[in-house]
Amino acid sequence: MRTTDLLTRLAKPAAALALVASAAVFAPAANAADGITAADVNPAAGTFSELSETNLTGAGDGTPAGAVAWYKAHAGSTGWEHYCEKAAENSYGVSGVWASANAHWDGASPKHTSGKPPAGSFVYWNISAYGHVGIADGNGGFYATSVGGKIGHGSSTSYFNNYRGWTPAAVPRR
């Protein structure tokens, strides 16, 4: 082996070791329990509530609460206009299951045309060639695209015309 090849092979690990060592020396002191430093805290920014781990849900985690959380996290976004089915699927952590809201309505079961849909249920309207779909909030309202031109919340399924009904909260599958 040539000397230059040997030096090249040794230089990369040595550089990585030096970088790790410098990070350890210059890193700010942190709370060992959570890694948050005083520089990470902004008391003037407001207050927050801590939730127990049993109450935490993740947006798009495949649960009804996660589907609602996904819509809340994307509230105000205009990037999902004309993609209501994709948004509804993404809220459950999947994509590409149904071609449209109408296809979802046609393929999903059981269908309910009355009653208050539970949180995370899919709610449907027959308002275009492709239909429209959102996620029920559990209180008679819903989250969807096209609410005022963006992802938003409607207090009643009557927000859009031609309400079809709802199907149970579940990860979309054919």
Side-chain angles (χ1 to χ4, degrees), residues 102 105 110-128 131-144 154-168:
N102 282 343
W105 172 255
K111 293 174 180 61
H112 303 274
T113 56
S114 63
K116 183 169 65 174
S121 297
F122 295 97
V123 289
Y124 306 86
W125 296 266
N126 190 14
I127 57 174
S128 74
H132 192 58
V133 63
I135 297 292
D137 67 5
N139 297 313
F142 67 94
Y143 294 94
S155 60
S156 167
T157 55
S158 298
Y159 178 89
F160 296 114
N161 292 324
N162 302 315
Y163 177 65
R164 286 181 139 172
W166 59 277
T167 58

Side-chain angles (χ1 to χ4, degrees), residues 39-171:
D40 295 322
V41 179
N42 181 4
T47 61
F48 66 94
S49 299
E50 290 188 22
L51 298 174
S52 71
E53 288 188 26
T54 58
N55 292 333
L56 294 177
T57 59
D61 67 358
T63 66
V68 170
W70 185 95
Y71 273 95
K72 287 180 177 181
H74 290 84
S77 172
T78 59
W80 297 90
E81 286 303 289
H82 310 292
Y83 297 102
C84 64
E85 177 61 31
K86 185 172 184 176
E89 291 179 13
N90 279 207
S91 74
Y92 273 93
V94 298
S95 187
V97 178
W98 300 105
S100 68
N102 282 343
H104 192 167
W105 172 255
D106 291 343
S109 66
K111 293 174 180 61
H112 303 274
T113 56
S114 63
K116 183 169 65 174
S121 297
F122 295 97
V123 289
Y124 306 86
W125 296 266
N126 190 14
I127 57 174
S128 74
Y130 303 103
H132 192 58
V133 63
I135 297 292
D137 67 5
N139 297 313
F142 67 94
Y143 294 94
T145 64
S146 302
V147 177
K150 58 188 179 253
I151 288 182
H153 179 260
S155 60
S156 167
T157 55
S158 298
Y159 178 89
F160 296 114
N161 292 324
N162 302 315
Y163 177 65
R164 286 181 139 172
W166 59 277
T167 58
V171 175

